[in-house]
Amino acid sequence: MAFGEPVPKKTGTPFFPSLQLGVLRVYRAVTTSVEGFIQQIACCYLRHGYWFYVKGVVPSGKSPDAIDRKLIQKYGIDVSESTRARRKKAGRSNLQYIRHESVFVLMATKGEHRFFEEEANRIRDIRRVPLRYAGYSISYKPGGRKKDGSRDDKWHAHVAIDREQYLDLRAWFTDRALRESQEKLALAFYQLPLSPYAPVRRQLLMMLREVNRIRKTAGKRQLPCDILPLRRRVVQPFASDAR
């Protein structure tokens, strides 16, 4: 019942120092966990308009650190917030670079930049083509519901279990709905290695309802909702020494 794609061995350093106007500034690029990678993209970059992306993999035998430095320097990513603000005002694009293990993502805002020419055939718009990684699907879309149940027309980051991964998990649980005890099923749900963003919570609840439907038909005990990991833990995306 493995969740997501295999994660390669950890390599690389977590940040890249540079000197600007006599001040040491650190650009943090390498995340230390899948959760941190997903969180940084969904909760930080998307809400600031970084919707255009290229996903890549560090080639076998290549140094991840070298790839990081090459791309960050090539596209002028390591700049101050004031520089980013000036670029935005001038109609130019800003970029971010993030990597977890051997998978990296370049993300850009709208505007003019050589990135859109040199990566033209690989660029995707996350509002139309979700970014998939480690069993998750990340997109940016309007809609959803507010706490009071009313419709929310604002755009939001949308993190869900990737469709194929969700179907595999649902099949696994429904297949074992009658074969496993209530305690074993509850533990399997509780131990799912998932960050429960709102779409993930809905998917978990749908799986639980399906398992309970099958068990109810057979006269077996139901599983309570509190077995689900429904509270998301905020993590530190980058190494703690990256200051």
Side-chain angles (χ1 to χ4, degrees):
M1 199 176 60
F3 181 79
E5 58 200 60
V7 176
K9 184 179 178 181
K10 182 181 293 185
T11 57
T13 54
F15 58 93
F16 301 89
S18 62
L19 192 65
Q20 182 174 350
L21 297 179
V23 178
L24 183 65
R25 188 184 66 255
V26 170
Y27 183 81
R28 297 180 293 181
V30 183
T31 58
T32 58
S33 66
V34 170
E35 294 77 14
F37 181 86
I38 301 298
Q39 177 184 290
Q40 186 68 14
I41 292 174
C43 300
C44 297
Y45 295 157
L46 292 187
R47 68 189 183 95
H48 290 297
Y50 291 91
W51 302 332
F52 305 96
Y53 73 92
V54 167
K55 178 183 174 185
V57 178
V58 176
S60 178
K62 295 287 187 179
S63 165
D65 294 349
I67 297 297
D68 298 342
R69 286 191 290 269
K70 176 183 176 181
L71 293 174
I72 290 171
Q73 182 177 11
K74 177 180 179 179
Y75 291 121
I77 297 173
D78 183 10
V79 296
S80 66
E81 289 303 315
S82 59
T83 298
R84 291 182 184 276
R86 289 196 300 272
R87 286 179 176 177
K88 181 178 180 181
K89 188 174 182 179
R92 298 172 60 196
S93 173
N94 282 305
L95 272 73
Q96 298 284 3
Y97 174 87
I98 187 169
R99 174 169 64 82
H100 178 251
E101 308 301 357
S102 65
V103 174
F104 65 83
V105 180
L106 284 160
M107 307 189 75
T109 61
K110 63 181 180 180
E112 297 179 1
H113 200 287
R114 59 183 291 198
F115 168 78
F116 290 99
E117 298 175 2
E118 301 198 14
E119 307 288 349
N121 295 330
R122 302 175 59 205
I123 294 174
R124 301 291 181 267
D125 185 338
I126 206 166
R127 295 169 297 179
R128 298 181 175 85
V129 182
L131 171 61
R132 293 182 167 87
Y133 180 62
Y136 291 95
S137 174
I138 313 170
S139 58
Y140 197 65
K141 59 179 67 176
R145 296 289 176 181
K146 299 179 182 179
K147 291 183 178 181
D148 61 5
S150 61
R151 181 176 175 82
D152 185 359
D153 293 324
K154 293 183 179 179
W155 286 71
H156 300 278
H158 186 278
V159 180
I161 306 172
D162 186 68
R163 178 168 175 75
E164 286 192 16
Q165 186 69 58
Y166 171 73
L167 292 175
D168 286 345
L169 284 172
R170 190 176 70 176
W172 190 93
F173 277 103
T174 54
D175 179 63
R176 288 162 175 75
L178 299 179
R179 294 164 50 189
E180 301 288 355
S181 66
Q182 183 190 39
E183 290 74 19
K184 286 185 176 181
L185 284 171
L187 186 61
F189 268 113
Y190 183 76
Q191 292 182 336
L192 282 173
L194 294 164
S195 291
Y197 292 87
V200 174
R201 293 197 297 269
R202 289 193 289 270
Q203 290 170 307
L204 290 174
L205 287 167
M206 286 191 292
M207 284 194 291
L208 181 62
R209 282 197 291 268
E210 180 64 14
V211 167
N212 277 335
R213 184 191 65 78
I214 294 171
R215 290 178 64 83
K216 183 177 181 180
T217 301
K220 290 184 174 290
R221 294 167 60 193
Q222 304 287 281
L223 300 174
C225 289
D226 58 11
I227 65 170
L228 297 178
L230 299 180
R231 179 170 295 182
R232 183 173 71 87
R233 180 174 62 94
V234 177
V235 300
Q236 172 61 258
F238 306 104
S240 58
D241 59 346
R243 298 193 181 101

